Amino acid sequence: MSGSTLEGVITFRAASPADPDAHELIVEYFAERASGFPGEYRPVLPGPDAFRAPDGVLLLIEHTDDDDATADRGLIGCGAIRRIADGPMGARFEVKHVYTRPAARGLGAGRLLMDELERQARAWGARELVLDTHHTLEAAAALYARTGFAPIEPYNDNPNATRWYGKTLD
């Protein structure tokens, strides 16, 4: 993609983790994480029913640009939410597998994805969003801060996480 913003149309498509496109993106995400992870990275591939409505959704980000047939387009990322045990505010959803391909980074796709995941969680009655990440993912931490997440106490025992974030939904 050229330029500093996404030009064209961004759409979101719900998919099962077993969908070939979703599987490809999740495997890419895990491979990238493993390559820069200090120590042993222990990913767990989500099962085919891991993100099923109304308790979750896995979204694929697709980019189309009708004006330029040569522009990079197609699948540019993914992200998911899933309902977990209620928190102090009530219904709690966890953000998972937020990933944009390198060519799409810095163009706003991650922000659009986070907004869409939050919109869907709200539609299902979420009162809180949480996520875990690793301190080496500074760009991800910046995205989470820009979308209203703040540090919280750990809510799980993910061995790959060193930071936990939350966001109360009004």
Side-chain angles (χ1 to χ4, degrees):
M1 294 180 190
S2 60
S4 60
T5 62
L6 289 172
E7 297 174 5
V9 178
I10 297 296
T11 56
F12 299 100
R13 173 170 52 102
S16 162
D19 173 280
D21 289 338
H23 183 78
E24 176 183 325
L25 285 165
I26 292 170
V27 167
E28 240 177 72
Y29 164 71
F30 285 153
E32 184 173 307
R33 290 288 298 115
S35 71
F37 196 80
E40 181 185 354
Y41 181 64
R42 294 175 280 197
V44 176
L45 283 170
D49 296 326
F51 306 105
R52 184 167 288 202
D55 293 320
V57 66
L58 170 64
L59 296 177
L60 307 184
I61 313 167
E62 296 181 299
H63 176 253
T64 57
D65 188 347
D66 295 334
D67 295 335
D68 183 359
T70 64
D72 289 338
R73 59 184 179 269
L75 291 171
I76 61 170
C78 64
I81 55 171
R82 67 178 178 186
R83 186 160 186 172
I84 60 173
D86 287 356
M89 304 295 170
R92 180 186 260 189
F93 280 75
E94 182 180 37
V95 177
K96 298 295 292 178
H97 311 308
V98 173
Y99 173 72
T100 55
R101 287 185 160 153
R105 292 183 187 154
L107 304 177
R111 172 81 187 224
L112 292 171
L113 172 63
M114 293 296 290
D115 290 347
E116 183 62 17
L117 291 171
E118 180 177 327
R119 186 197 67 73
Q120 186 61 70
R122 284 177 183 275
W124 288 331
R127 302 292 299 144
E128 181 183 16
L129 288 173
V130 295
L131 61 89
D132 61 37
T133 190
H134 195 269
H135 67 274
T136 59
L137 299 175
E138 293 185 25
L143 170 65
Y144 303 142
R146 283 193 309 275
T147 54
F149 284 81
I152 62 172
E153 290 298 314
Y155 63 90
N156 65 20
D157 60 357
N158 181 350
N160 299 318
T162 57
R163 292 185 180 163
W164 291 261
Y165 294 93
K167 179 178 183 177
T168 301
L169 304 179
D170 300 323

